[in-house]
Amino acid sequence: MTELAEGPTHIGVRRSLTYWNQEFQRIHSPILRYGFSVVSVAIALGASFALQRYQFRDVELPLLTVAVAFTTWYAGAGPSVLAVLLSSVSFDYFFLEPYYSLDISARDLPYFFIFVGWAAIVASFSAVRRRIEDNLRQTRDNLQVEVEQRRHREEEIRQLNRELGKRALELEASNKELESFAYSVSHDLRAPLRHMVGYSELLQRQASSLLDEKSQRFIRTILDSAKRMGNLIDDLLAFSRIGRAETRKTQVDLAQLAEEAVAEIGQDAKGRDIAWKIGALPVCYGDRAMLRLVVVNLVSNAVKFTRMRRPAEIEIGCVDRDEKEVEVFVRDNGAGFDMQYVDKLFGVFQRLHLPEQFEGTGIGLATVQRIIHRHGGKVRGEGAVDQGATFYFSLPKTQDAAERTANAP
């Protein structure tokens, strides 16, 4: 209990001393500073006389040195000199023989040197203290500035995050509206297109004998264009469904997907001379149906663009980028492409070859990119004209890596 009682008392005393220490340091007026010197010496003299009255001896020198020390510590150099002079004169006049006389002899000089030496020692400590306090004050000011700047930066970051969140919600809503619009338009276009194809075929069958070669060519052109438009609509519907579909991610064996894709596409490529090379493929984490569509699209592209090669060479392999991610590639020796147009490859309906050369709608690579982006990966292509092409896509190996990739900015 005693220690508990003494603790707050000591803390209160230290706080009081700190407070008065700061208050005395704020004395800038010369009158107050020199007045403080005179008052300190006067108090020391008064205390000396009072203690002598009660039979205390030889206390005047310590009390006057304390007065000099206080003056030097709090009032500075000028008041310290005044305190030394006043203390020396007072000590000689009141406490050295002959009393009440300013007769200074050689034996009085040591006392004067005591006051001067004590003042010099205290002044040196005071100078160190002031320098440290100035440094601390400057450091505190710098810290306050840094804290204020950091507070402003944090507020700006919070504001940017709020705006970013708002923009993300707006973008998500816009994307959903766009996907719904594309789905609705594509769905609504199918009915009139079916009518166009159906009636064109009826006209071709029933009136073929009445039409000349030129008119029949017109009907065939109408049918081909309508069927091509139907394929575009079907691909656009499939592309929009990818953005609307929910991903169901599990462990996926890429080697099994590659075998299925080769078996499926190989049925349509019977009679062609294709040299398949399938390397070791790892297990990754993702939606199996979507990743199967990625592999099928890339392999079918390789088969299509190697049509003019004898033999066609198609390789499926992977490169371990790190322990968290794998990069798969599909390489062929086909028509290739010009690298200056590589950014157009993954756009919707973007084609680098004429439809007469290679069939297609230009949706396949856009679908691949969209699926891989939904898995947190990246897609890229490399190639050269008539020297083949290689398409790469990266995937996370584990669920933890997929979640970290999905949450990354």
Side-chain angles (χ1 to χ4, degrees):
M1 293 295 293
T2 304
E3 293 177 357
L4 293 176
E6 289 178 353
T9 303
H10 291 318
I11 293 174
V13 170
R14 285 197 298 270
R15 287 179 177 175
S16 298
L17 291 175
T18 302
Y19 171 77
W20 287 111
N21 186 26
Q22 294 175 350
E23 290 298 318
F24 280 124
Q25 291 174 21
R26 294 172 185 168
I27 298 175
H28 298 292
S29 172
I31 296 176
L32 293 178
R33 291 168 58 228
Y34 284 96
F36 180 78
S37 175
V38 174
V39 171
S40 298
V41 175
I43 291 174
L45 281 174
S48 300
F49 291 142
L51 291 173
Q52 281 188 350
R53 182 179 180 84
Y54 291 101
Q55 305 301 318
F56 286 95
R57 302 299 178 188
D58 299 327
V59 296
E60 56 276 1
L61 183 61
L63 290 174
L64 288 173
T65 54
V66 169
V68 171
F70 266 86
T71 302
T72 305
W73 186 264
Y74 290 110
S80 175
V81 174
L82 178 61
V84 169
L85 293 176
L86 291 176
S87 298
S88 300
V89 171
S90 300
F91 187 77
D92 180 73
Y93 187 80
F94 292 107
F95 303 109
L96 292 179
E97 295 179 356
Y99 298 112
Y100 310 112
S101 172
L102 293 177
D103 184 16
I104 300 175
S105 60
R107 63 186 183 88
D108 299 332
L109 292 179
Y111 299 104
F112 175 76
F113 290 132
I114 290 175
F115 291 127
V116 172
W118 185 246
I121 293 173
V122 175
S124 64
F125 281 106
S126 178
V128 173
R129 181 208 65 181
R130 293 180 190 279
R131 185 169 62 253
I132 294 174
E133 289 177 349
D134 290 340
N135 292 335
L136 291 175
R137 192 176 298 109
Q138 184 177 2
T139 303
R140 181 197 62 189
D141 295 340
N142 293 336
L143 287 175
Q144 288 179 346
V145 172
E146 290 181 5
V147 168
E148 190 65 24
Q149 291 176 348
R150 180 173 296 180
R151 187 180 295 113
H152 286 308
R153 287 196 296 268
E154 290 176 353
E155 182 60 30
E156 290 176 357
I157 291 173
R158 283 193 292 268
Q159 182 65 26
L160 291 174
N161 286 336
R162 287 193 292 267
E163 293 180 359
L164 183 61
K166 183 178 178 181
R167 295 289 184 272
L169 292 176
E170 293 176 354
L171 182 60
E172 184 179 0
S174 299
N175 286 337
K176 289 182 178 179
E177 291 177 0
L178 186 60
E179 290 174 357
S180 299
F181 174 76
Y183 183 83
S184 299
V185 169
S186 302
H187 189 271
D188 294 340
L189 286 176
R190 293 172 67 87
L193 187 62
R194 283 197 301 269
H195 292 162
M196 184 186 304
V197 173
Y199 284 109
S200 296
E201 290 177 344
L202 286 175
L203 180 62
Q204 187 181 40
R205 286 198 301 267
Q206 296 180 6
S208 60
S209 60
L210 303 176
L211 299 175
D212 57 11
E213 181 63 27
K214 185 176 182 180
S215 299
Q216 291 182 7
R217 189 172 69 252
F218 289 161
I219 293 177
R220 287 195 298 270
T221 302
I222 292 173
L223 281 172
D224 292 342
S225 298
K227 291 178 180 179
R228 175 172 171 77
M229 186 175 180
N231 293 332
L232 289 173
I233 291 174
D234 290 339
D235 289 344
L236 184 60
L237 282 172
F239 183 73
S240 63
R241 289 193 192 102
I242 292 174
R244 299 157 62 93
E246 180 181 356
T247 58
R248 299 176 180 178
K249 296 182 178 180
T250 58
Q251 295 292 329
V252 180
D253 188 351
L254 291 177
Q256 185 178 3
L257 286 187
E259 292 175 359
E260 293 177 2
V262 170
E264 177 182 337
I265 297 171
Q267 296 295 326
D268 300 329
K270 286 184 177 179
R272 287 188 51 188
D273 185 8
I274 300 178
W276 296 96
K277 182 179 179 181
I278 302 177
L281 298 175
V283 174
C284 67
Y285 188 78
D287 186 291
R288 191 181 191 282
M290 290 187 178
L291 294 181
R292 186 178 186 279
L293 183 58
V294 168
V295 177
V296 168
N297 280 342
L298 292 178
V299 174
S300 63
N301 268 4
V303 171
K304 176 172 62 177
F305 289 105
T306 55
R307 181 181 303 161
M308 309 302 294
R309 297 291 185 265
R310 297 292 187 275
E313 298 177 359
I314 300 175
E315 179 183 0
I316 306 173
C318 77
V319 177
D320 282 332
R321 300 179 63 180
D322 51 45
E323 60 183 12
K324 300 177 183 178
E325 194 175 43
V326 62
E327 189 173 56
V328 181
F329 66 86
V330 177
R331 181 179 292 120
D332 63 70
N333 64 336
F337 59 89
D338 192 337
M339 282 296 291
Q340 65 177 324
Y341 304 115
V342 67
D343 294 335
K344 293 185 177 182
L345 286 175
F346 302 99
V348 178
F349 301 138
Q350 295 290 332
R351 293 176 53 84
L352 301 184
H353 301 86
L354 296 175
E356 294 79 8
Q357 295 176 309
F358 301 100
E359 72 279 1
T361 58
I363 292 287
L365 291 179
T367 301
V368 169
Q369 185 182 59
R370 192 165 197 179
I371 292 174
I372 297 302
H373 282 182
R374 289 197 64 177
H375 284 74
K378 296 181 180 179
V379 183
R380 61 188 178 92
E382 297 177 356
V385 177
D386 291 329
Q387 296 183 24
T390 305
F391 289 93
Y392 301 85
F393 63 90
S394 59
L395 290 170
K397 287 185 178 180
T398 62
Q399 182 176 0
D400 293 339
E403 292 175 353
R404 282 194 295 269
T405 305
N407 295 329

